[in-house]
Amino acid sequence: MKPPLPGPLDRLAGPVFDIHGKVVLVTGAGQGIGRELVGILHRRGAVIAAVDIDEAAARRAADELGSRACGIGADVTDRNRMEQVIGEVTDRFGRLDIVVANAGVTPVPATLRTMEPGDFDRVLNINLTGVFNTVHPALDEIVRSRGHVVVVSSCAAFAPGMGGSPYMISKAAVEQLGRALRVELAASGATAGIAYFGLVETPMTHAMLDADDLGRRINDLLPWPLSVRITAEQAARTIADGISRRAARTIAPSGWQPYALLRGVINTVLDGRLAADASVQDIVRAIEKRR
């Protein structure tokens, strides 16, 4: 399948950014989008620091790339460890030009009423605070190199979060982090961008929507083209191409573009319809019965 063509949001870009020889740190690089991304960027000439909570997976990703790559084990929720990782990368390669905060998880399906507070905290700690822990200690290097930061949000940031609200909440907050960072870095010549994805064929998606009865029912509610899935490689290529344009925003698949542009209007109607939909109410009741 060909990669999606840039849409209106994809074209909100700055000057061309040649990544050849640039040092790139990617979290969540042991599998899925992150694993595909480090391969694409390495083939384009970048030096790679592949970071993952699974150190063995991070090292495998780096070993497969061969030269100009290293694998590092780190938990993005560990602030001190992430500061150490940034130091290790700059000590080894002498600089850091690009950071992609990609690590993330999905919650156990539950409503806000029935979820375990610890599940909420876990998702926010990884998906939001983990992004801050990755980006914050790197910013002096990014400013010094006039580099680029990508934070991975999701189209879930502007979709209703029934049964999985911690994920949507975290991704909406990451969007705001990325927007603030773009403005704050502008005076230094560095840039930041936000990556949004709909459904991506990853182990996380399969566990949430395909291997679970309620997940399949929720997936069936999605209308075309919002139900269209892309591969992890396509998602990674979208990020890589966005980096080369210093894009403020990238979004895939393309069916989410109108939703992203018109969400203020669409969400007003959609929230009301979902709240009144009998099938949605049945799913919510079924989710709550599980707890």
Side-chain angles (χ1 to χ4, degrees), residues 135-195:
V135 171
H136 182 258
L139 287 177
D140 285 345
E141 289 295 327
I142 294 296
V143 167
R144 187 175 294 114
S145 65
R146 296 189 175 184
H148 186 71
V149 175
V150 178
V151 296
V152 178
S153 179
S154 169
C155 295
F158 39 84
M162 59 167 198
S165 60
Y167 185 78
M168 283 69 171
I169 291 165
S170 68
K171 292 302 185 179
V174 167
E175 176 186 41
Q176 292 303 317
L177 187 154
R179 292 177 64 189
L181 194 58
R182 178 85 178 183
V183 175
E184 292 171 358
L185 289 176
S188 70
T191 50
I194 308 163

Side-chain angles (χ1 to χ4, degrees), residues 209-273:
L209 294 180
D210 299 331
D212 182 88
D213 290 340
L214 286 177
R216 287 193 291 270
R217 289 173 65 184
I218 293 171
N219 184 63
D220 290 343
L221 290 176
L222 291 173
W224 184 90
L226 303 189
S227 59
V228 173
R229 298 190 185 190
I230 59 174
T231 65
E233 191 275 339
Q234 286 176 293
R237 192 170 299 280
T238 299
I239 295 175
D241 292 347
I243 291 171
S244 69
R245 304 192 306 275
R246 291 186 181 267
R249 295 167 185 83
T250 56
I251 185 166
S254 59
W256 282 95
Q257 295 273 8
Y259 195 143
L261 289 169
L262 301 172
R263 60 174 126 163
V265 175
I266 293 173
N267 282 349
T268 300
V269 176
L270 183 61
D271 289 357
R273 288 188 175 179

Side-chain angles (χ1 to χ4, degrees), residues 37-63:
L37 179 60
V38 294
I40 292 169
L41 295 175
H42 188 266
R43 290 192 292 274
R44 295 183 182 185
V47 178
I48 300 297
V51 180
D52 199 277
I53 191 170
D54 183 341
E55 183 173 358
R59 292 187 180 278
R60 283 195 299 272
D63 289 345

